[in-house]
Structures are given as structure tokens and as C-alpha cells.
Amino acid sequence: MRRRPEPGRTAEGERAERPVDSRARFTGRGWAFLGAGAVCLLLATWLGRKDVLALALFLGGAPLFAALSLYVVKPRVLLKRGVDPALVTAGDSAVVRLRVRHRTRRGGTVTGAVAVHETVPEPLGGDRELSVEAGGEPAAYTVRPRRRGVYALGPATVRVADPFGFAAELLDASERTSLHVAPDPVELPEISADRLRESGTDPSRTALPQPGPDNVTTREYRHGDPMRRVHWAASAKHGQLMVRQEDPRSTRRLTLVLDRDETSWPGERLWAGVLPSTAEFEWAVSFTAAVLEHLTQRETALHALDTFGRPLPRSGEYDDDAAPARTRATTVTDDGAEDARHGLARVRPEPAPQETAAGGPATRGTATRRGSPGGTATRGTATGGTATGGTAADALAARFDRDGLVHPVLLVSGDLSAAAAERVLRGTQRAAAGSAVLVTSSPGTVPDGTGVLETAGWSVVVVPASAALEDAWAQLGTGARAAGAVR
């Protein structure tokens, strides 16, 4: 089957597809018959035999009749693609099924197998060639994504041929199907609760320590309880399944903030499926997923949001930039941790919103991105009185006020500028001091915002994108700035 020309990528990361020429073309068998017919015609002229002339007319006319029949019948193909499941974790597999319905222009149904060229991204194994029975059982193939992101499956090109295989026509089934891949959370080591720089105004500071073997409460298992909350020691003691019960006296609280401002991620662009990203941002997303999984399993009430004051997306929610997104709750409980982690499949660096917290217009600042570890950068240069930097700080502060977020803050950012760090401090001033993990492109690079956060009393850990997530987590609150490969 003739392949599509090798395409480039669009600005959105999708492969730029060229339209398929749907005119009927002769197959190899058709060209062979035409060649044989031409030879027989020459022989009939030379020998003067009518039987050889009849053979020449048959051999040459059969492919021509087949191409004419495809032109007259105008076959129509409907291709349906299903992905099960449509949302997976990196490293897990998903099954893609293709169903084909083949009809003529008059509505008649055509049976038989058709060849399908399915466009599949390279990280999922590359394009596939399938034979699908029209109107019969679907053809299936398996993909196993290794990295998180949103991947577009399709379009597909269907090859329809006449019953004898003399001529074929390529039909473009241009629909696409999305596969969402969530990051696989890494298991983090245990650290004490006070390592996350609690705020002096946090009411949970007077609570009991984080639940442990001595102060955890249990109850009988109820249908629908997550299996991760099963307390196996208590279950063995009581002879029935027992689950950990959240004790308000010992519940820890944390506000997790992921920096999605594109000026904080100036590294070389790579693609998370169709989403633009960088290696540093992918590290930050993986770290965020690991923290969500780790803390929610330990009865910690999390509030997950970005530096624009928006809650991090959840699975099944797609209007992240719409007004309702700004009013959604930021709370992530043990039961909702999986939805929050799955929502990380869609996050990407974004420009700062051009509206103030009250909905008024704002002028976006210009930024000069840092090009080398030793270079300088100027960010947040705004025109007029309402800069985007102020807008982001106002939106973040409004979210902290609305949700009453006075808990410890853990910021996950990249090449944080001094101006951006000041905006974060203004937006999180209700929570006072906090912790930050800053991801850089190379060891030894220290973002300009590091000193600003440390002056405000924050604990800052700077890691390269090559560092292990466990190293950064274990370094929090120890007083050391560097972690991972820079130790």
C-alpha cells in the first residue's frame, strides 16, 4: 500500500498531513495485465491472428474496466476507532480497535477485507498496516506509551480495490482519536511532616503528628473504599478488612503549586504527544504526580493548583481556561488522587492569562529567555499599569483568599526569575514561608528567583532535569540547596 508522504509537524505538535489523492490507480497486477495486453497486441499485428488479438483486448480491457467501475461506483468508507482505555498511565498498554463499513454510492454494502494505513505517533510504535474486514470483526493493535502526554491516533488511509485487484483507490478517513497518558508516580521516601516548612498561621501546626502506626484510626471496610486505604495489620488482628480512617486531629495539609508559566521553562522544546513541553517541565510534572500519590496515601489533604490560581486539571475536565475552571475546588483527597494524577496528562507550559482576577484586561509583558546557564534574563517587562505578572499574582492571591489556603506551600518551578518569585510570594503571602523545588537544564545553574525565595524564609532545592525524583524529595527541608546530580 502506498504510504503517505512523510509529514512535518504543525504548531500544535500534530503531524501535518497532506491530502491523499483519491483517484483510482492501477495496482501491480493491473499494470502487469496492461503490459501483457500490449505485448499480445503487437504479436497479433505481426502474426495476424485474431485469437491473439482477442487475448490482447481481454488483458488490456480488464484493468481499464476495473478502474472505470471504481470511478462509477464511488466507494464510501466509514472508519470508527475506539481506544480502550482512553486514559492510561505511562508504561501501561491500550488497545485500539478499528471498524470499517464499506458502501457504494447507492447505499449498497460491500463486504471483504480492506487495507488500512493507520497513522500512529512514533512514541507509540509508528504507523500500522492493518487488514480490516468491512462490516465484520474489528482489527486491533496495542500501543504502550512510555511518556505522559496527549497522543493523536489517526488519520487513517483506507485502500479499496476491485474484486480482482486490478485497480485501487485510496480514501482518507481523517478523524483522529486522542489517547491521554498520565505520568507514572515514582515511590518517594518517607520524610517527617515538619520538613515541608509549615506556616506559622497554619491551624494544622497545632495538630497531632502525621498519622502513623501509633495514632491511626481504623474502621470496617465498606464497599467502594479504595484498596490503598486497607490497614493490613488491623485487618489481620480483627479477622476482617479494616481501612484507615482520616482523623481530623492528625490530618496534615499542603498547598501544591505547579508553575505553568512558559517563561519559567525556556529549555529546548520537546513534545508530550501533541503538547509542547521541555525536559525540565516533564520532570516537574512527574514530581508533582509523585507528590500527589505519596501524600494523599498518607492522609494529607492537598490543594493542587498552578501559579495562575487555577486548580490543576482532573480527568474528564477539558475546559481548563474557561471561567468555571477558576472556580473549581483545588482540594485533592485520597479518593480523588487518581483523577488529579490523570489530569496531569494534559498540562503544558502556557502564556500568562491576559485577564486580571476581576476579569479586566491586562497587557502581557515581554520576556527575554535565558539561553545559557551563565546568561542573564529580563522577564516581566510590562507596558502600562496592569502587567501580566501582577495579574498572575492577583489571581493566585485571590485563590488563596477564596479557599482559605494558609497551609504550607510546595512550589514546583523551573528557571524562576526574580520577578516571578516575587509574584509567587505576593500570591502566597497568606501562607508565609514554604518550600520550592526548582528544575534547571544543567547542574550548577541557579535560577534568579532562588535568592528571593530564600530571603523570604523559603527552603529551596535546585535540581537538574537529570536528577532522580526521590533525591529532590529527600532533600526538602534539610537546609541544602542542591540535590541529585549536583550534590
Side-chain angles (χ1 to χ4, degrees):
M1 178 177 178
R2 185 172 65 87
R3 292 181 178 271
R4 292 169 175 264
E6 186 63 26
R9 280 185 179 271
T10 65
E12 292 76 22
E14 295 182 355
R15 285 165 44 169
E17 300 293 339
R18 299 179 183 179
V20 174
D21 187 357
S22 62
R23 292 178 300 174
R25 297 177 179 273
F26 294 119
T27 63
R29 181 183 300 176
W31 283 113
F33 267 64
L34 286 174
V39 172
C40 290
L41 182 60
L42 293 176
L43 289 176
T45 303
W46 182 42
L47 298 176
R49 296 179 61 97
K50 293 184 178 180
D51 53 347
V52 178
L53 177 62
L55 179 61
L57 294 177
F58 170 76
L59 292 175
L64 295 175
F65 179 78
L68 180 62
S69 66
L70 288 178
Y71 177 78
V72 173
V73 172
K74 287 291 183 182
R76 299 178 180 180
V77 172
L78 175 64
L79 183 144
K80 291 186 177 180
R81 183 186 299 103
V83 184
D84 183 30
L87 196 158
V88 299
T89 299
D92 294 342
S93 60
V95 178
V96 183
R97 293 182 173 86
L98 299 178
R99 293 180 180 271
V100 171
R101 296 179 64 185
H102 185 191
R103 291 187 174 184
T104 63
R105 181 163 54 179
R106 296 184 177 181
T109 301
V110 181
T111 59
V114 295
V116 178
H117 176 78
E118 172 82 329
T119 304
V120 181
E122 288 298 331
L124 302 186
D127 295 354
R128 309 294 174 92
E129 302 283 352
L130 303 169
S131 177
V132 185
E133 190 71 25
E137 292 294 323
Y141 64 93
T142 302
V143 294
R144 189 183 298 274
R146 298 297 179 182
R147 293 173 51 189
R148 75 101 198 174
V150 178
Y151 295 88
L153 300 173
T157 301
V158 181
R159 180 177 181 271
V160 178
D162 68 280
F164 301 102
F166 294 135
E169 185 172 358
L170 297 181
L171 304 178
D172 196 357
S174 59
E175 73 166 26
R176 288 178 171 88
T177 305
S178 295
L179 173 64
H180 291 68
V181 183
D184 186 19
V186 174
E187 186 174 352
L188 300 177
E190 297 290 344
I191 64 173
S192 59
D194 58 0
R195 295 263 294 276
L196 293 178
R197 302 303 303 272
E198 295 185 59
S199 164
T201 60
D202 183 8
S204 68
R205 185 178 179 84
T206 60
L208 295 178
Q210 186 176 5
D214 298 329
N215 64 351
V216 69
T217 59
T218 59
R219 59 169 172 81
E220 294 182 1
Y221 174 84
R222 299 170 188 165
H223 179 70
D225 286 336
M227 290 303 295
R228 69 174 67 175
R229 299 181 65 176
V230 173
H231 193 288
W232 297 108
S235 300
K237 180 179 178 180
H238 291 83
Q240 59 180 335
L241 281 180
M242 305 291 290
V243 297
R244 299 190 309 272
Q245 181 168 279
E246 185 172 305
D247 187 349
R249 298 173 303 167
S250 59
T251 299
R252 313 306 296 180
R253 297 184 182 276
L254 178 74
T255 302
L256 179 61
V257 181
L258 174 63
D259 191 352
R260 297 174 65 182
D261 191 339
E262 64 180 6
T263 60
S264 297
W265 310 101
E268 182 179 356
R269 172 176 284 192
L270 56 82
W271 295 94
V274 299
L275 304 178
S277 183
T278 65
E280 296 78 26
F281 187 76
E282 291 304 301
W283 192 100
V285 172
S286 298
F287 184 77
T288 301
V291 172
L292 283 171
E293 188 78 5
H294 180 81
L295 293 183
T296 52
Q297 288 184 7
R298 286 153 181 81
E299 306 293 351
T300 300
L302 281 178
H303 296 268
L305 62 154
D306 60 23
T307 47
F308 303 141
R310 303 173 303 188
L312 294 184
R314 311 290 175 87
S315 62
E317 299 174 350
Y318 296 96
D319 297 327
D320 296 335
D321 295 325
R326 302 188 181 97
T327 61
R328 291 199 309 264
T330 59
T331 307
V332 180
T333 61
D334 185 23
D335 296 338
E338 186 175 5
D339 286 341
R341 183 169 56 81
H342 285 168
L344 293 176
R346 304 194 311 278
V347 297
R348 61 182 178 88
E350 299 176 5
Q354 299 189 47
E355 292 184 357
T356 63
T363 304
R364 179 176 301 173
T366 59
T368 303
R369 294 185 177 181
R370 177 173 301 175
S372 62
T376 59
T378 302
R379 297 185 183 88
T381 303
T383 59
T386 54
T388 304
T391 302
D394 294 341
L396 187 59
R399 169 64 68 175
F400 269 66
D401 289 339
R402 181 165 56 245
D403 291 1
L405 303 181
V406 294
H407 323 301
V409 176
L410 175 58
L411 170 69
V412 184
S413 183
D415 190 10
L416 191 69
S417 67
E422 291 172 355
R423 292 196 295 268
V424 171
L425 292 177
R426 291 200 306 270
T428 61
Q429 59 185 343
R430 283 178 57 95
S435 304
V437 176
L438 306 184
V439 194
T440 61
S441 57
S442 60
T445 303
V446 179
D448 297 339
T450 304
V452 176
L453 295 179
E454 290 179 335
T455 302
W458 283 48
S459 171
V460 180
V461 176
V462 180
V463 297
S466 58
L469 305 179
E470 305 92 313
D471 291 344
W473 177 253
Q475 206 75 2
L476 278 172
T478 61
R481 174 187 284 181
V486 273
R487 282 188 302 179

